[in-house]
Amino acid sequence: MQKAIALLKAHDLLRVIDEPLDIDLEIPHVAYVEVKKRDSKALLFTRPVSKRLGKEFKTPVLMNVFGSHEATNLFIGKPADTIAEEIETLLKLKPPATLGEKFGMLAKLFHLKNVFPKRLSGKGACQQHIVTGDAVDLYDLPILKTWPQDGGPFITMGQVYTQSLDGERKNLGMYRLQVYDKNHLGMHWQIHKDSANFFHEYHKAGKKMPVSIAIGGDPLYTWAATAPLPHGVFELLMYGFIKGESARLVKSLTNDLYVPEDADFVIEGFVDPMKLRIEGPFGDHTGYYTLEEEYPELKVTAITHKDDPVYLATVVGKPPLEDKYMGWATERIFLPLLKTTAPDLIDYVMPENGVFHNLIIAKMQTLYPGHAKQFMHAFWGVGQMSFVKHAIFVGADAPDLEAYEDLSDYILDRVQMDNLLISEGVCDALDHASDAFAYGGKLGVDCTANNVHFPQKELIDDTALLRLIRELEPSVEAIKQYKTYTKTPICVIAVKKQEPIKNLYERLEPIRKHTKLLVFVDAEKNDLENPYMLIWRVVNNMDATRDIFLQKEYIGIDATNKGEIDGFPRRWPDDTDCDTAVIEDLRKRGIIDLDDDFLKRFYITRSG
Ligand SMILES: Cc1cc2nc3c(=O)[nH]c(=O)nc-3n(C[C@H](O)[C@H](O)[C@H](O)COP(=O)(O)O)c2cc1C
């Protein structure tokens, strides 16, 4: 981490904050607002304190290391597209025809020898200081409590190292870890993830599961921990491939797992597979809290660290945040691998306000009827891509995937009922909108067809349309129309919900001659003038099997929060809102500098 700090400084990508700041809310809130800025920097907090524990920490806290495209490229070592090209070249390796090609191939294969991690003997720098047994105290680390309703402090950038019961397969994953007490951590590996898979093997065998958690070291380990590699593929291979150098590992002191020798901290221990414990709530990267669920618990047997360690952390919540940049690198690097299952895929994006699994837009070459629908099934069947709730497919002639205005015009000119696919399946364990945990609706929209003919709508302005709507439905508080010049004009309707939204959609049927797509949101929670946060809300809150109403040329989407009125069987979580008093105090002290407009734009202290 000290090297990472020097690199960030050299590129003017670091701000150092020497003011004492609390690990509960203050430090996370500062990092949260910083990374939303266009010119955001990594932050080094040199004087973390805890009022709760009555402590001042010697270890500084580093946040937002991946807080911009520039910093992400810096730590990944080269542009993400270059890595994608290297992967593509490897995937397309053909037998060499000439001597020159033979040498070229040899060079590529020689480079691959560095992919495999190297095991070193003896202790590593990460073991310069060792605490074991009863002396272990997680409260000696400046572990942050990021959100007001969080169940406690959480390690947010832990590299979690595990292995299969027979020791043959290794895994590195990034999962948040809740601090329960001085030597117990909650292991939030979600049901579909690789360590959860290993956990089942230990559970079946009734054997304790070793786990080691590294924090810090080369930032590329941290990114690799988030990479969605297939089950059984060790993420440190990806590290070696990208870096062109093997990861150098040392053995943990109290279990058999190997960890990077240059990590800043290592927490070692064992999970008792027979014991689960309530984990959460935690303000998550969807911008909502994830509610309490049972997860395994780790008993910590040792904490080791380097001389001068730095504690690395991140904050997740409403977009845009650091995971936007980490996810962007993943999106680019994994394009060639995705193409192996979907060969006519040209490109794809996961817009940041779709928080990854909620929205994907993919550009493809269509060659036969149903090609886009074939891709929908393929995507929903591949690894972590299967969590995607809403997938829109556009043709090769579509605008650039990041030219969002032009792209949305293209899409809206092609949305037709016959080309929607509503399905159901696996969804992200964090999804709060589906009726069941980790299982819910999927929407695929095929916008690859050109020459789509729609009847022209009789457009009227917002004031006239609102008057008409209120005559039919007095409970509507406000409306705003978007993209009325396209073939799918959108009308966003803010309501104070008193009955299921489907009733309103049916009562508003007479307005179908003026608009095509009705999107219902809660008046209290949303700002109709803020399309960025509206999209975040809509794709978060809908479950396609329940919340889409379809009649020819008249489509309704219920993006309101669900509850008793809707017969929703689960608890609906709150948004992750910063503590207003903490934000105001940080502003007064000059630690954060932002105007009211910025607060509103990103729903920082409250929504809408
Ligand atoms: C900031 C951040 C926090 C994350 N937290 C979790 C988590 O708590 N639990 C989880 O299962 N995945 C979490 N993830 C996603 C995993 O890191 C990701 O799915 C990874 O590929 C899992 O590795 P695995 O497939 O080896 O299990 C997080 C990702 C990021 C970027």
Side-chain angles (χ1 to χ4, degrees), residues 444-479:
V445 188
D446 175 0
C447 294
T448 57
N450 281 323
N451 310 320
V452 182
H453 296 288
F454 299 115
Q456 196 62 37
K457 298 283 178 182
E458 290 170 32
L459 297 176
I460 52 176
D461 68 20
D462 284 1
T463 317
L465 187 58
L466 179 61
R467 200 177 313 121
L468 211 66
I469 286 177
R470 284 229 176 102
E471 279 165 20
L472 300 161
E473 185 49 61
S475 74
V476 168
E477 300 229 328
I479 67 150

Side-chain angles (χ1 to χ4, degrees), residues 156 171-176 188-190 193-195 225-229 235 314 316 323 326 384:
T156 51
N171 193 67
L172 161 61
M174 188 155 105
Y175 320 113
R176 70 175 190 238
H188 189 258
W189 48 58
Q190 294 154 10
K193 304 297 171 73
D194 292 350
S195 296
T226 67
L229 285 170
E235 283 73 6
T314 190
V316 291
D323 57 357
M326 298 175 82
Q384 295 189 36

